[in-house]
Amino acid sequence: MTQINARLPVAVTGATGAQGGATARALLRAGRPVRALTRAVGSPAARELASLGAELAYADFDDPASLTAALDGAGALFAMSTPFGTDLDTEIRQGTALLDAAAATDSVRHVVLTSASNADRSTGIPHFDSKQRIEEHLATLDLPWTVLGPAVFLDNYANDWTLQALREGVLLLPMPADTPIPVIAADTIGAFAAHVLAHPDGYTGRRIDIASQWRTGHQIAAAITAASGRPIRCEQVPLSVVETYSADLAAMFRYFQQVGLAIDTEALHAAHPTVDWRTAEAWAADQAWEL
């Protein structure tokens, strides 16, 4: 049986970003102490978390001593990794270093690792396969764990690159506009992670792919239209164009088209009725669109 001391803080990596920030806020709302791990303890995002009650701790994935210090006395860990801004080898090295540091503590009793849907299936998508390597390393450690595989991030439709096109009235998507894909908001990932950490016994050793719903590009564009008041249409971007920017992302969207993700959202939601499964429409309504 997994025993997490609820008085000890949950260490949250990526706390100043979308997933980690959402998880930190969900834990704080549930009354759980949070230790936000970040290299930028003085950043606005870090200061906002501190104002909500989070403890800030400096942590650099390339500095094992800082990871050891940041995790000392934490009862659990929300772990995530990303190759964006670095590279795949760096992601694997940093991700395994974080998990090794957690395993070396006397206090961490559960790790929730966010990966990607289907990342355990040797997809051939570079940034999915790097996450598979980290998942496999976690399974070798003497730590209770849960792996979450989020589907396509709705939050990516409000980032700088997408906003530029939205201001021209277009949602660019490297998929047929009428093909449904499973989507999820960062807030829902955070809510699910907090749920797992509140009920670790039911999730130890489990890997769960998660999504709020299936939506086509047309439906996502309609949700943004309704929320922003700006008419938005969805247009498919050829994979050959995506390839010129990122072979990794082109491989992902090619996989989505040729193989696809498989998440039974109806069964998932029935098994977890207390999680806020934020719809694309609700997510879009919450955004401060400046189009």
Side-chain angles (χ1 to χ4, degrees):
M1 180 177 292
T2 302
Q3 294 288 342
I4 300 176
N5 187 336
R7 294 188 299 273
L8 297 180
V10 176
V12 177
T13 59
T16 56
Q19 283 192 75
T23 300
R25 290 189 295 272
L27 289 166
L28 289 167
R29 286 194 298 270
R32 297 290 295 272
V34 168
R35 181 180 296 167
L37 274 55
T38 176
R39 287 185 301 176
V41 292
S43 69
R47 291 199 300 270
E48 179 184 355
L49 284 176
S51 72
L52 296 174
E55 170 193 357
L56 302 181
Y58 174 80
D60 183 339
F61 284 7
D62 286 320
D63 179 2
S66 75
L67 294 176
T68 299
L71 292 173
D72 183 41
L77 168 66
F78 173 81
M80 58 172 292
S81 63
T82 178
F84 303 113
T86 56
D87 55 58
L88 299 173
D89 289 339
T90 300
E91 178 187 17
I92 295 168
R93 184 183 71 251
Q94 291 180 340
T96 54
L98 172 66
L99 298 176
D100 286 343
T105 71
D106 293 326
S107 57
V108 173
R109 292 292 181 266
H110 201 97
V111 173
V112 173
L113 173 69
T114 59
S115 179
S117 294
N118 283 35
D120 59 334
R121 304 183 187 186
S122 301
T123 62
I125 304 167
H127 75 278
F128 280 40
D129 290 349
S130 59
K131 289 175 175 55
Q132 182 177 19
R133 292 273 300 279
I134 296 169
E135 289 186 37
E136 290 170 348
H137 183 73
L138 175 59
T140 70
L141 302 177
D142 187 21
L143 274 174
W145 56 265
T146 306
V147 174
L148 305 183
V152 177
F153 288 7
L154 284 166
D155 303 74
N156 286 343
Y157 300 125
N159 65 22
D160 291 340
W161 184 82
T162 306
L163 285 175
Q164 184 177 357
L166 291 177
R167 293 187 179 109
E168 298 174 3
V170 181
L171 172 65
L172 298 176
L173 189 66
M175 293 280 295
D178 57 355
T179 297
I181 53 176
V183 297
I184 192 166
D187 283 347
T188 301
I189 300 171
F192 200 96
H195 173 79
V196 170
L197 288 167
H199 307 88
D201 287 342
Y203 294 93
T204 299
R206 294 178 62 187
R207 188 189 192 284
I208 308 173
D209 285 345
I210 56 176
S212 287
Q213 59 185 167
W214 289 76
R215 281 293 181 264
T216 66
H218 288 315
Q219 290 172 322
I220 295 168
I224 297 173
T225 294
S228 68
R230 173 75 184 273
I232 304 294
R233 68 184 187 280
C234 183
E235 288 187 2
Q236 182 177 0
V237 180
L239 289 177
S240 59
V241 173
V242 180
E243 193 89 42
T244 64
Y245 292 96
S246 170
D248 192 340
L249 292 179
M252 180 181 73
F253 283 105
R254 186 174 295 110
Y255 180 89
F256 287 172
Q257 292 185 39
Q258 296 178 353
V259 180
L261 302 177
I263 302 176
D264 184 342
T265 53
E266 184 175 346
L268 176 69
H269 299 178
H272 305 92
T274 63
V275 173
D276 178 14
W277 297 104
R278 190 75 52 87
T279 65
E281 292 73 19
W283 167 83
D286 286 341
Q287 306 307 303
W289 300 103
E290 296 181 0
L291 305 181

